[in-house]
Amino acid sequence: MMLVGPTLPAHNVNLFQARSASFRNHTSPLNPSTIAPSSSSYSPASIKPGSNSTKMTRLHLANLDKLLQTPPPPQTQLDPQPDLEKDKDPHKNGSRENRGRGLLGGLKLSRLWTQVKGAAEDMSPRHLKRLQRLLSKTGEYSPRNNLGTRWREFHGSNNWAGLLDPLDENLRREVVRYGEFIQAAYQSFHSNPAMSAEEVQMPRNVALPDRSYKVTKSLYATSSIGLPDWVDEVRPDLSWMTQRSSWVGYVAVCDDKGEIARMGRRDIVIALRGTSTCLEWAENLRAQLIQMPSTEQGQQERQAKVECGFLSLYKTRGADVPSLAESVVEEVKRLIEQYKGETLSITVTGHSLGAALALLVGDELKTCAENMPSVAVFSFGGPRVGNRGFTNRMDDKDVKVLRIVNSQDVITRVPGIFVGEGALEEKLKNAKAGGFIDMIDRNMPLAYTHVGTELRVDTKMSPYLKPDADVACCHDLEAYLHLVDGFLASNCPFRENAKRSLVRLLQDQRSNVKKLYTSKANNLTSLKLERTGLMVSCLPSPS
């Protein structure tokens, strides 16, 4: 029977019943009127003149709730060969209500819910509003709080204990800021990769992201190997790819009184880009460990070894430029003398190859002068550089290293093999296998280990990047900064109040951004990337 609403006059009930009788066989299984009468259901015949409409509405809602509630799981196992005749007979197959519930149950919505739920959350107005906000801004950053007397803690005096998981908001801002110094090095090199003898005399014009700093020195790395001259004759337009010496970074110093007061000291930054020329790639492949230059420390330091190619780029002099090691030491000594009496700090930051060179710079600077200021290294996507002896040497010199590592980045797991690292090292120590570790370090040519404290992020934590993003995306510097900006803790999702704009990420890694967001980006905003000021005229680069 069909239900009668509270607005139907009581004297028309019988007439309505007579007219609706012919439609009984055409009602839907989902119609509440098809449910067998029970103590909790009602029929039009049970309606009395003057019945309370509120009570009827309550019964109606209860009936709907009974219909929509999840059916209990079957108590008996299903027959693997069902009776087809029973399925054909509606009387043998139970009530229409059960048939309706069986139809809905056949859809197995519970299995689809996990997939639908994720898409629904991504498509929710809240997420789209956040996407539009991140696409519409290019200059907003997390607030720069006054570091005051805590600046040494953020610079690694306690190896960033208690600041990484969960990530301190002030440290997050500092890490992203130092990453942007590396981006400026990439942009400056790609805009003018060729090098001339005249250029060496003056610092290169670098568009720094922080205007409170000024560039004081250009840095060059030189390969100890070279390619035949005929290579340049075949492709003279790409001669910069085969040049032995290339601009690799810069030295900058904070020159703003307000920023110096905020940071609690005057900061000297050394920023180094990653691999960009053929000869730099060739040096990366020279993975054998070689002895570090000896000093007056002792036997343990004489066991320190680093990758041959990295040390070559760091120590080799060019035809018109000094080595990277000589340039850095000379400029840092000059700045220390210039700002003598002030509180200073030295921050070395690099990405990929630049992260490896940053460790060598930090090792060199710590002992190059008396009363050396605090030296900290912030590395992004850095490979392994040396053996356990090199790690001990850095610890003895009190060089603080914060390694930002993407779990999906394969570059952070090369070169060589390693045994003295992380959980494996603990297991070997607990098994009293320290002698075995020492034997491996002394005799294995590729026994590498990492240096410093680790801040680990993961591409899969970003709601915008594909979980199966390719190797280039997982190693990309902008992807690193995007992940750090959204990182809360190892067991927390991507933070909703992330400040970093998605414009550059879409520009650099559009193929690795989820299609949902790339399509919505075109609909939500008319922003054109070439108008954001982020586009740089760059030549092709192997990186």
Side-chain angles (χ1 to χ4, degrees):
M1 296 181 182
M2 297 186 66
L3 296 178
V4 181
T7 59
L8 184 66
H11 61 274
N12 290 333
V13 170
N14 296 332
L15 178 61
F16 188 83
Q17 290 177 344
R19 291 181 177 179
S20 63
S22 62
F23 297 96
R24 291 180 181 178
N25 294 332
H26 304 283
T27 55
S28 169
L30 301 181
N31 195 321
S33 64
T34 63
I35 304 174
S38 63
S39 58
S40 62
S41 63
Y42 68 95
S43 64
S46 64
I47 303 176
K48 305 298 182 180
S51 296
N52 192 315
S53 62
T54 304
K55 181 178 180 181
M56 293 168 56
T57 303
R58 186 181 299 109
L59 288 174
H60 178 65
L61 293 176
N63 217 23
L64 287 176
D65 182 72
K66 181 179 178 181
L67 174 66
L68 296 176
Q69 68 183 356
T70 304
Q75 299 298 327
T76 59
Q77 185 177 2
L78 293 177
D79 189 353
Q81 296 181 351
D83 188 355
L84 299 180
E85 295 297 329
K86 182 179 179 181
D87 291 341
K88 293 179 181 179
D89 189 351
H91 299 288
K92 295 181 180 180
N93 198 32
S95 64
R96 292 180 180 180
E97 175 187 359
N98 291 335
R99 283 193 297 162
R101 289 180 178 179
L103 178 63
L104 292 176
L107 296 177
K108 299 180 180 179
L109 296 178
S110 60
R111 296 184 180 181
L112 300 175
W113 174 245
T114 55
Q115 301 177 7
V116 175
K117 181 180 179 182
E121 289 180 351
D122 288 342
M123 288 294 293
S124 67
R126 177 172 59 87
H127 280 247
L128 295 181
K129 184 177 181 180
R130 188 205 316 175
L131 177 62
Q132 187 173 22
R133 175 175 59 85
L134 293 176
L135 285 171
S136 63
K137 65 183 183 182
T138 57
E140 182 178 348
Y141 299 97
S142 298
R144 292 187 180 182
N145 298 323
N146 193 323
L147 302 183
T149 57
R150 294 188 61 195
W151 74 265
R152 295 184 184 276
E153 184 179 354
F154 295 113
H155 211 242
S157 61
N158 297 321
N159 294 314
W160 297 277
L163 300 176
L164 300 178
D165 198 1
L167 182 59
D168 183 90
E169 61 177 5
N170 293 315
L171 180 59
R172 177 191 294 112
R173 181 66 192 94
E174 293 299 294
V175 170
V176 172
R177 185 168 67 96
Y178 288 129
E180 290 174 340
F181 280 107
I182 308 172
Q183 284 185 328
Y186 272 116
Q187 293 177 6
S188 181
F189 173 77
H190 288 160
S191 63
N192 182 20
M195 192 195 75
S196 62
E198 294 77 12
E199 179 195 3
V200 177
Q201 307 302 324
M202 297 295 294
R204 177 179 289 213
N205 184 22
V206 182
L208 295 180
D210 193 330
R211 296 184 179 181
S212 60
Y213 286 74
K214 68 175 182 179
V215 175
T216 63
K217 182 79 172 181
S218 288
L219 302 175
Y220 298 84
T222 302
S223 171
S224 60
I225 58 179
L227 295 180
D229 295 336
W230 62 263
V231 176
D232 290 337
E233 296 176 359
V234 173
R235 289 298 303 272
D237 56 325
L238 293 181
S239 59
W240 64 272
M241 290 283 292
T242 60
Q243 63 190 14
R244 292 186 58 195
S245 298
S246 297
W247 190 89
V248 72
Y250 59 90
V251 180
V253 61
C254 184
D255 199 37
D256 182 84
K257 293 182 179 180
E259 184 66 6
I260 294 173
R262 184 194 71 83
M263 293 190 298
R265 85 281 188 191
R266 186 187 295 270
D267 189 32
I268 301 172
V269 169
I270 301 167
L272 302 169
R273 61 164 176 82
T275 309
S276 294
T277 70
C278 288
L279 292 182
E280 289 170 358
W281 275 110
E283 292 284 15
N284 289 343
L285 298 178
R286 300 172 64 189
Q288 68 271 25
L289 287 166
I290 63 173
Q291 194 75 43
M292 285 284 289
S294 60
T295 62
E296 59 279 355
Q297 291 297 319
Q299 180 66 27
Q300 182 169 324
E301 182 166 302
R302 289 197 294 271
Q303 297 176 358
K305 299 179 180 180
V306 294
E307 200 223 39
C308 175
F310 298 153
L311 189 63
S312 170
L313 288 170
Y314 182 63
K315 289 290 189 180
T316 304
R317 292 179 56 90
D320 302 309
V321 293
S323 68
L324 177 59
E326 294 171 335
S327 298
V328 168
V329 171
E330 177 186 357
E331 181 63 14
V332 168
K333 285 183 176 180
R334 187 188 71 81
L335 292 175
I336 291 176
E337 182 64 26
Q338 178 178 347
Y339 300 109
K340 189 175 182 179
E342 296 187 27
T343 303
L344 301 176
S345 69
I346 300 175
T347 306
V348 192
T349 183
H351 171 246
S352 191
L353 169 64
L357 296 176
L359 290 179
L360 299 178
V361 170
D363 172 78
E364 181 97 18
L365 290 180
K366 195 60 180 178
T367 55
C368 72
E370 296 181 359
N371 301 322
M372 179 60 60
S374 171
V375 178
V377 177
F378 290 80
S379 70
F380 296 83
R384 303 189 189 107
V385 176
N387 65 351
R388 197 158 60 97
F390 176 67
T391 301
N392 296 333
R393 168 172 164 150
M394 296 284 284
D395 292 339
D396 293 341
K397 292 185 176 183
D398 200 28
V399 179
K400 304 301 181 181
V401 179
L402 180 61
R403 295 187 305 110
I404 297 90
V405 177
N406 183 355
S407 297
Q408 312 302 316
D409 186 2
V410 298
I411 301 301
T412 62
R413 300 193 288 271
V414 294
I417 61 174
F418 66 100
V419 293
E421 184 176 335
L424 181 57
E425 181 183 17
E426 292 297 325
K427 291 181 180 180
L428 292 174
K429 287 182 178 180
N430 294 336
K432 298 181 180 180
F436 172 75
I437 297 178
D438 293 336
M439 183 270 294
I440 291 293
D441 287 333
R442 288 193 302 268
N443 300 306
M444 290 293 292
L446 299 177
Y448 281 85
T449 185
H450 276 302
V451 180
T453 305
E454 179 182 277
L455 171 61
R456 183 168 290 271
V457 295
D458 197 318
T459 302
K460 296 180 181 179
M461 68 181 284
S462 170
Y464 307 103
L465 293 174
K466 295 178 181 178
D468 58 344
D470 58 32
V471 176
C473 176
C474 295
H475 188 60
D476 182 68
L477 179 58
E478 179 59 34
Y480 263 93
L481 299 185
H482 166 70
L483 295 175
V484 172
D485 185 59
F487 183 79
L488 284 172
S490 57
N491 58 348
C492 293
F494 203 83
R495 69 181 183 125
E496 293 186 358
N497 60 337
K499 302 292 185 181
R500 190 165 187 81
S501 172
L502 292 177
V503 174
R504 186 188 291 272
L505 188 67
L506 283 170
Q507 173 190 332
D508 296 343
Q509 298 296 334
R510 178 173 289 271
S511 62
N512 290 293
V513 177
K514 293 179 181 178
K515 292 184 178 179
L516 171 68
Y517 292 108
T518 55
S519 60
K520 289 299 176 182
N522 297 330
N523 299 330
L524 288 174
T525 177
S526 59
L527 181 66
K528 296 185 181 299
L529 296 180
E530 60 268 18
R531 296 181 181 179
T532 63
L534 297 177
M535 294 293 288
V536 180
S537 177
C538 302
L539 294 176
S541 168
S543 64

